[in-house]
Amino acid sequence: MRIANLPKKTPLRSWIRVDASSGASCSVSLDKVTVMRRCNLPARDLRLLDPLFVYPSTILGREKAIVLNLEKIRCIITADELLVSVKGFSGNAPAGDEWDYVEEVQRRLASTSDDLPFEFVAMEVALEATCAYLDAQAAELEIEAYPLLDELTSKISTLNLERARRLKSKLVALTRRVQKVRDEIEHLMDDDEDMAELYLTEKKHSIESFYTEHGILGGPGLSVSAPTSPVGSPTSTSAGLKRLERNFSFARSSRHESSRSVETEKRDIEEMEMLLEAYFVVVDNTLNKLMSLKEYIDDTEDFINIQLDNVRNQLIQFELLLSTATFIVAIFGVVAGIFGMNFAIPLFDIPEAFNWVLGISGMTGIIIFCGFLWYFKRRRLIPL
């Protein structure tokens, strides 16, 4: 008897949920399918929030949610709630950067007026925390780099060169991360449609107005980000809701130009654009600091290469002089070899002959050596 393969159960992941209306937070465990239906997100977006993997910084605006993957903050923002991805639990209060982010969002919600949408608050806190984190890392790198580079210029050693190599690797990695955050913000600022997708509260109100205008009882039926059971609702109801949402999307896109004035739309987009531009300036300033540090490292490398080239040239000059001196000494060896042969000549009988031979050989060597020095100076091979 053949047994059918049962579907594997999706593992639960830990999240911190923050309610948009009350600001209350709690730790919840949700599987991937539940989060997908709850926030109307595809599976590929949730992979960006997996704490077990490292993905580059990303800001995605979807129909009912904003997906943020900014350094240590990985979350899903909807008009009704905030879901922050965490690695695990520590009692009822998760520790780490995620909880610091949640506490700051709660503090902003308590002190912010009702005119500012919830997604603006959550996104602003995430951008602020990310920019501050990257700027702090850049400042630490500067504190470490400048004394090391100054020491390297005064004392070139294997240890200092290895430390400089590790420093440059850290600089390249940090620059790449800062550049990615900057590019994500710039990409949103360059596209009005992407910025319009970030207005979740406004889109939620438009959905509710659409249901009210068409006389659908119970409003949207399920909240934009309300929890949905993965196996609970009937097929007909789910299909009907999907058809209504598709019809609304078409109706909203066709009414977008007629129901809202151009001035109102521009003002709304400018509100998000000003928010993004403020943190674009911050992260761009961090990137400029890193680029300045990279230029300082490049200048230090050039200075070190110049020093090494100078030392190499001095060694070559010394080797040239040493070779010339060796040639002069070889002249004495030739003279000694000639007079050391076993044959008799009258010169051997003269007592002063040895002194004459030694003097003439020495003067000849000195003249030849001075001739070489004059040639080297004329050719500018050595600085004399």
Side-chain angles (χ1 to χ4, degrees):
M1 181 176 179
R2 186 175 180 179
I3 301 176
N5 294 329
L6 297 177
K8 294 183 180 180
K9 185 178 179 180
T10 306
L12 298 177
R13 289 172 52 183
S14 302
W15 301 82
I16 307 175
R17 179 185 181 277
V18 180
D19 185 73
S21 58
S22 62
S25 63
C26 62
S27 300
V28 295
S29 296
L30 301 173
D31 57 37
K32 188 175 182 179
V33 177
T34 302
V35 176
M36 290 169 56
R37 296 186 178 182
R38 186 179 188 133
C39 303
N40 193 21
L41 292 174
R44 63 178 178 272
D45 289 348
L46 292 184
R47 286 198 297 267
L48 299 174
L49 305 180
D50 195 333
L52 300 180
F53 299 96
V54 178
Y55 290 98
S57 298
T58 308
I59 303 175
L60 299 177
R62 300 308 186 197
E63 182 66 25
K64 298 181 180 180
I66 300 174
V67 180
L68 290 183
N69 177 21
L70 296 174
E71 292 298 319
K72 296 186 176 181
I73 299 176
R74 305 182 181 193
C75 63
I76 301 174
I77 305 173
T78 68
D80 298 326
E81 64 182 358
L82 167 68
L83 293 176
V84 183
S85 176
V86 294
K87 293 183 178 180
F89 291 101
S90 178
N92 293 325
D97 300 296
E98 298 88 356
W99 188 244
D100 295 337
Y101 168 63
V102 169
E103 289 180 343
E104 182 63 22
V105 170
Q106 291 175 318
R107 189 186 68 81
R108 296 284 180 89
L109 289 175
S111 59
T112 305
S113 62
D114 297 335
D115 296 335
L116 193 63
F118 172 72
E119 63 271 15
F120 276 43
V121 176
M123 189 171 179
E124 181 180 9
V125 174
L127 290 173
E128 180 180 348
T130 301
C131 293
Y133 173 71
L134 293 175
D135 190 68
Q137 285 203 325
E140 291 179 1
L141 200 60
E142 284 182 324
I143 295 175
E144 178 185 0
Y146 287 113
L148 172 60
L149 297 176
D150 293 339
E151 181 182 356
L152 185 60
T153 55
S154 60
K155 180 182 179 182
I156 302 176
S157 63
T158 305
L159 178 60
N160 289 338
L161 289 174
E162 176 62 22
R163 291 172 59 192
R165 185 192 65 81
R166 291 197 300 265
L167 175 68
K168 189 171 183 179
S169 300
K170 292 168 59 177
L171 174 64
V172 171
L174 182 58
T175 302
R176 188 182 301 114
R177 289 157 50 197
V178 174
Q179 182 71 51
K180 189 63 175 71
V181 175
R182 180 186 180 276
D183 292 344
E184 285 295 318
I185 298 177
E186 186 177 19
H187 173 73
L188 289 175
M189 294 171 58
D190 292 340
D191 196 326
D192 292 347
E193 294 183 0
D194 288 344
M195 285 191 290
E197 286 294 328
L198 303 179
Y199 286 80
L200 303 180
T201 302
E202 181 179 343
K203 290 191 291 185
K204 176 189 173 183
H205 293 163
S206 300
I207 293 175
E208 294 174 350
S209 300
F210 175 79
Y211 280 110
T212 303
E213 291 175 3
H214 288 75
I216 300 176
L217 297 178
L222 292 175
S223 177
V224 177
S225 58
T228 306
S229 173
V231 295
S233 55
T235 306
S236 59
T237 304
S238 177
L241 287 176
K242 290 182 178 179
R243 285 196 298 270
L244 285 174
E245 289 180 358
R246 286 197 297 267
N247 293 336
F248 167 72
S249 298
F250 176 77
R252 184 171 62 88
S253 62
S254 62
R255 292 189 311 160
H256 193 69
E257 297 181 359
S258 60
S259 63
R260 295 178 57 191
S261 62
V262 178
E263 293 79 6
T264 304
E265 181 181 357
K266 185 176 180 181
R267 184 180 66 251
D268 290 343
I269 294 178
E270 285 181 349
E271 186 178 6
M272 174 59 72
E273 186 175 7
M274 287 189 295
L275 172 64
L276 295 174
E277 186 176 2
Y279 293 100
F280 176 82
V281 172
V282 176
V283 73
D284 187 65
N285 181 53
T286 302
L287 182 62
N288 290 335
K289 287 196 285 187
L290 294 177
M291 296 305 296
S292 299
L293 181 58
K294 182 179 182 300
E295 292 178 359
Y296 191 82
I297 292 178
D298 293 339
D299 293 341
T300 303
E301 290 180 348
D302 294 339
F303 179 76
I304 292 174
N305 290 331
I306 293 173
Q307 282 188 321
L308 294 177
D309 291 340
N310 185 38
V311 173
R312 190 180 300 110
N313 292 335
Q314 290 177 355
L315 291 176
I316 293 175
Q317 294 168 7
F318 177 75
E319 183 181 2
L320 186 60
L321 292 176
L322 186 61
S323 300
T324 304
T326 304
F327 175 75
I328 300 302
V329 174
I331 295 178
F332 286 91
V334 172
V335 174
I338 293 175
F339 283 93
M341 294 182 180
N342 190 15
F343 62 89
I345 58 175
L347 185 62
F348 290 162
D349 299 331
I350 302 175
E352 295 84 7
F354 176 76
N355 296 330
W356 283 101
V357 171
L358 183 63
I360 292 174
S361 300
M363 290 298 298
T364 304
I366 292 174
I367 293 173
I368 295 176
F369 185 75
C370 292
F372 273 113
L373 292 181
W374 174 83
Y375 177 79
F376 293 155
K377 180 179 180 181
R378 185 176 181 181
R379 291 288 183 175
R380 297 180 180 179
L381 298 178
I382 55 177
L384 293 176

